Amino acid sequence: MGLFDFLGKKIENRYALALDIGTEFAKALIFKVEEDKGIVVGAGRQRQKLSDMQGGAVTDIQGVVQNCQKAIERAAGQAQIMPTQVIMGIAGELVKGNTTTIKYTRPDPKIGITLEELKDIIARIQRRSFDRARQILAWETGHAEVDVKLVNAAIVDVKIDGYNVTNPLGFQGRELQVGVFNAFAPIVHLGALQTIAAELRLDLLSIVADPYALARSIGPKESTEFSAIFIDVGGGTTDIAVVRQGGVEGTKMFALGGRTFTKRIAQVFGTTFLEAEEIKIKYSKGELPAEDATFVKKALITDCQVWLSGVELTLEEFSSIELLPSRILLCGGGAMLPDIQETLKKAQWSPTLPFARIPNVHFIRPEDVENIVDQTGELKNPWDITPMSLANLGIDLVGEERITDSILNKIVASLRE
Ligand SMILES: Nc1ncnc2c1ncn2[C@@H]1O[C@H](COP(=O)(O)OP(=O)(O)OP(=O)(O)O)[C@@H](O)[C@H]1O
Ligand SMILES: [Mg+2]
């Protein structure tokens, strides 16, 4: 089965599963779609083994399947229902998301925009974006022929003569601008997720890039005012998404997260990874004796600076000519380390980064996630945000497709043939 077969799939009996396979934890949410809301009725989480995942990517399929199964069983026990369909998140350094925008001047502005015209412009965007992703991945991996596949595509911006419209068909105007967000990943990564869904006997509705889901999780849906930098600090990766004027501009990840800090603590205390993990959590909660806390804090200084450089380098790739949003929104378990928040708040940002002003830093709260209502009472932590945002995207898989999405889906399908 090809990935393209998922396009156009719909949630059937209004229940579905959101599965976020993180480096450190597999997380499952069972949600029910009611009107435009997703009601979470079951949640489960299972720690993965160190050998199961590396930097957000699956390294042991059987191990991950077992962990997912446990997380799902917990969620299903609570929900008292087991959905058959799943929406999955994909993460890892080699998942690349970018928005490609084309502006095109129409020969006759008095004629209404036709379906053919729109199809043509979207097809051009998709080809350009695909070639670019393949080049980047070839360069980063050192393999000239990386087999790259499209993970998800979404129209993020349609303008006619500078006016935002949701469906451009029939409008007159001279300049048509269309922006499409695409996330690409090497075929091995996607294949691993497909195999996992199959082994779990789940019908795969959709795979989306984790940071894309995150970027869509807050901010009024159609607002063109909203701008923010989303940072999800997980166990193995830090995912970054930049949203400018309501549109997702791009997503990037680097392989540094909470595990790095745990490993450092294990090294300086001479303990195992799991013991160090306990020390780290106690440290975060202020439960360590003062002397040990000072020792930990010192031990983590360098890693925090390295992490911050990772954030800066990633943001540099986004900075082009426009200003960077001066709001940073944090989530992910790794962000609970107080030193991470401090590092961001006190950062001497590189002068090459075009922040309009010093960015403020806030946590995304579970209740901030659009359209998701938690009935379990358990979604209270920063690591719940990504699975909740997957569920939020899942809501759109019920009901009618927007005209622009349906055109995009058809073009994507034809490019994949
Ligand atoms: N109270 C805490 N203080 C510090 N770190 C914490 C705390 N609670 C959890 N963490 C860290 O959060 C990390 C796990 O977070 P999360 O579940 O978001 O990661 P993940 O989704 O599994 O990984 P990734 O997104 O990188 O694939 C672990 O490294 C864990 O040590
Ligand atoms: Mg994660």
Side-chain angles (χ1 to χ4, degrees):
M1 190 170 71
L3 185 72
F4 305 8
D5 305 338
F6 311 143
L7 290 164
K9 273 206 179 173
K10 298 263 172 258
I11 294 178
E12 279 152 11
N13 60 3
R14 309 201 83 81
Y15 280 94
L17 196 66
L19 192 57
D20 174 23
I21 306 177
T23 310
E24 211 60 34
F25 287 93
K27 305 173 193 82
L29 296 183
I30 294 175
F31 63 101
K32 181 185 188 186
V33 181
E34 268 178 17
E35 280 153 26
D36 290 338
K37 299 268 182 257
I39 320 281
V40 179
V41 290
R45 200 165 73 111
Q46 171 63 40
R47 180 179 284 280
Q48 309 231 56
K49 287 196 308 295
L50 270 176
S51 55
D52 291 335
M53 305 272 293
Q54 279 294 328
V58 176
T59 44
D60 177 350
I61 290 183
Q62 284 317 315
V64 171
V65 165
Q66 283 171 13
N67 299 332
C68 290
Q69 213 142 24
K70 286 189 190 140
I72 294 170
E73 273 164 20
R74 254 167 236 154
Q78 190 174 39
Q80 292 295 307
I81 186 162
M82 180 57 209
T84 53
Q85 295 177 299
V86 65
I87 173 166
M88 284 169 117
I90 187 167
E93 277 184 291
L94 298 177
V95 180
K96 304 285 168 196
N98 260 305
T99 293
T100 307
T101 303
I102 288 189
K103 250 189 211 171
Y104 135 88
T105 307
R106 306 181 59 233
D108 187 350
K110 291 200 196 73
I111 298 177
I113 292 168
T114 63
L115 191 60
E116 282 312 307
E117 234 180 316
L118 194 59
K119 273 188 189 160
D120 181 62
I121 192 166
I122 295 177
R124 266 163 51 200
I125 294 176
Q126 291 309 86
R127 266 183 239 115
R128 191 184 284 186
S129 153
F130 185 74
D131 289 343
R132 201 163 106 205
R134 208 162 36 186
Q135 271 171 13
I136 294 173
L137 282 172
W139 187 76
E140 284 186 13
T141 59
H143 293 284
E145 289 298 316
V146 194
D147 208 345
V148 176
K149 287 257 175 183
L150 183 61
V151 178
N152 70 294
I155 293 182
V156 290
D157 164 47
V158 186
K159 282 196 187 83
I160 304 168
D161 291 342
Y163 289 101
N164 275 300
V165 295
T166 46
N167 176 7
L169 292 182
F171 278 103
Q172 302 177 336
R174 183 170 293 280
E175 194 185 70
L176 177 60
Q177 174 178 326
V178 181
V180 181
F181 171 87
N182 287 296
F184 295 95
I187 193 170
V188 275
H189 286 18
L190 279 167
L193 293 188
Q194 289 174 318
T195 307
I196 289 167
E199 300 253 317
L200 291 167
R201 298 188 190 286
L202 289 167
D203 178 16
L204 192 45
L205 279 167
S206 176
I207 295 180
V208 288
D210 275 341
Y212 174 75
L214 182 63
R216 294 279 311 275
S217 69
I218 63 171
K221 249 189 186 158
E222 312 290 346
S223 164
T224 53
E225 305 288 305
F226 183 79
S227 297
I229 297 168
F230 288 83
I231 305 185
D232 174 353
V233 191
T237 62
T238 295
D239 302 359
I240 297 190
V242 173
V243 175
R244 269 193 193 117
Q245 271 107 50
V248 183
E249 198 158 288
T251 59
K252 295 206 162 62
M253 312 184 205
F254 60 93
L256 252 185
R259 261 188 193 180
T260 308
F261 303 106
T262 307
K263 281 187 185 153
R264 179 68 64 201
I265 292 172
Q267 188 202 358
V268 296
F269 279 90
T271 64
T272 64
F273 182 84
L274 285 178
E275 287 162 347
E277 180 74 14
E278 264 178 52
I279 298 175
K280 184 176 83 173
I281 307 282
K282 279 197 180 139
Y283 165 77
S284 272
K285 293 184 175 163
E287 291 170 2
L288 278 190
E291 203 180 315
D292 287 351
T294 314
F295 188 58
V296 171
K297 195 167 191 58
K298 277 211 179 120
L300 299 184
I301 290 174
T302 313
D303 295 318
C304 283
Q305 284 311 314
V306 173
W307 177 83
L308 182 66
S309 313
V311 174
E312 287 190 319
L313 285 172
T314 309
L315 289 179
E316 247 160 46
E317 294 177 38
F318 283 112
S319 30
S320 54
I321 23 167
E322 282 181 84
L323 291 178
L324 283 170
S326 39
R327 162 166 38 188
I328 293 179
L329 295 172
L330 273 180
C331 69
M336 292 168 82
L337 192 75
D339 307 73
I340 285 283
Q341 299 150 52
E342 261 167 51
T343 302
L344 279 177
K345 285 182 178 156
K346 292 189 187 153
Q348 300 284 329
W349 294 103
S350 149
T352 54
L353 288 177
F355 282 114
R357 49 200 158 81
I358 296 169
N360 54 41
V361 181
H362 294 286
F363 270 95
I364 304 171
R365 294 166 310 166
E367 54 273 27
D368 297 335
V369 179
E370 294 265 312
N371 308 318
I372 298 295
V373 180
D374 171 32
Q375 246 177 30
T376 68
E378 285 179 12
L379 305 179
K380 295 195 178 317
N381 291 293
W383 59 72
D384 296 317
I385 304 295
T386 302
M388 289 174 84
S389 59
L390 289 175
N392 171 42
L393 285 194
I395 297 172
D396 287 345
L397 299 172
V398 179
E400 290 293 302
E401 206 172 28
R402 280 193 310 180
I403 179 90
T404 45
D405 289 334
S406 108
I407 295 171
L408 177 65
N409 283 349
K410 284 190 190 121
I411 288 165
V412 163
S414 70
L415 281 177
R416 280 167 167 172
E417 271 158 15

